[in-house]
């Protein structure tokens, strides 16, 4: 095969180990009429140490999002106050910030900055703990809790509550 012989030719010029001395060029005593010998190919494969399971990071993030949902739900009934980030009163991004920070995830403070954090998520792929954003430009955020519902701090005079994500001008969602 042309590919195998090309690979063998490339590998033949690469030293087997980094500290191996370069081989001196071979000098033939007399020309030989036989076919050239096949190059020697080093087939050793380097072993790579894996220090943590690949699923650990997503599982930890999922656990932290679940914790953030629980923390935010524990604040249902707390008063809304513009610019407040808990623990007794919240605005929309203050609730998100408070819940995620306590769950071990550092997030930006404003709804607009939050809307640029993490990974975009389609509305059909929402999972509990995803952030849902409203209006254009983004000026409101809630935490998705499942079944088309979110927990959020909506506006002055209304406490932290559970509401449908269809309640207002849905914009987008992000997974942190």
């Amino acid at each position: 095969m042309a590919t195998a012989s090309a690979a063998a030719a490339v590998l033949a010029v690469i030293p087997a180990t980094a500290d191996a001395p370069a081989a001196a060029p071979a000098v033939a005593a007399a020309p030989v009429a036989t076919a050239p010998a096949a190059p020697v190919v080093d087939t050793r494969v380097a072993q790579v140490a894996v220090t943590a399971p690949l699923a650990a990071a997503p599982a930890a993030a999922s656990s932290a999002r679940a914790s953030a949902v629980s923390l935010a739900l524990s604040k249902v009934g707390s008063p809304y106050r513009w610019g407040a980030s808990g623990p007794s009163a919240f605005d929309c991004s203050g609730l998100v910030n408070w819940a995620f920070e306590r769950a071990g995830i550092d997030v930006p403070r404003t709804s607009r900055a939050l809307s640029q954090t993490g990974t975009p998520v389609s509305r059909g792929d929402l999972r509990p703990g995803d952030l849902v954003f409203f209006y254009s430009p983004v000026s409101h955020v809630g935490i998705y809790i499942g079944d088309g519902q979110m927990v959020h701090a909506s506006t002055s005079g209304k406490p932290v509550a559970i509401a449908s994500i269809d309640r207002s001008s849905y914009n987008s969602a992000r997974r942190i």
Side-chain angles (χ1 to χ4, degrees), residues 57-138:
S62 178
S63 175
R65 284 191 303 272
S67 179
V69 167
S70 294
L71 287 160
L73 287 171
S74 76
K75 294 303 180 176
V76 168
S78 296
Y80 176 93
R81 189 171 72 230
W82 188 85
S85 56
S88 58
F90 301 90
D91 69 3
C92 66
S93 57
L95 177 65
V96 170
N97 191 273
W98 180 87
F100 275 83
E101 291 280 329
R102 272 147 196 80
I105 299 175
D106 187 33
V107 295
R109 175 58 181 89
T110 66
S111 58
R112 186 134 339 133
L114 285 162
S115 73
Q116 302 302 309
T117 300
T119 305
V121 177
S122 71
R123 191 172 178 147
D125 290 330
L126 286 171
R127 292 187 209 152
D130 289 343
L131 303 183
V132 287
F133 301 95
F134 300 88
Y135 309 112
S136 185
V138 168

Side-chain angles (χ1 to χ4, degrees), residues 1 3 23-24 29 33 41 43 54 59 61 68 75 84 97 100 148 158 163 168 175:
M1 291 189 283
T3 305
V41 178
T43 58
L54 296 178
K75 294 303 180 176
N97 191 273
F100 275 83
K158 294 186 178 183
S168 57
R175 184 165 297 143

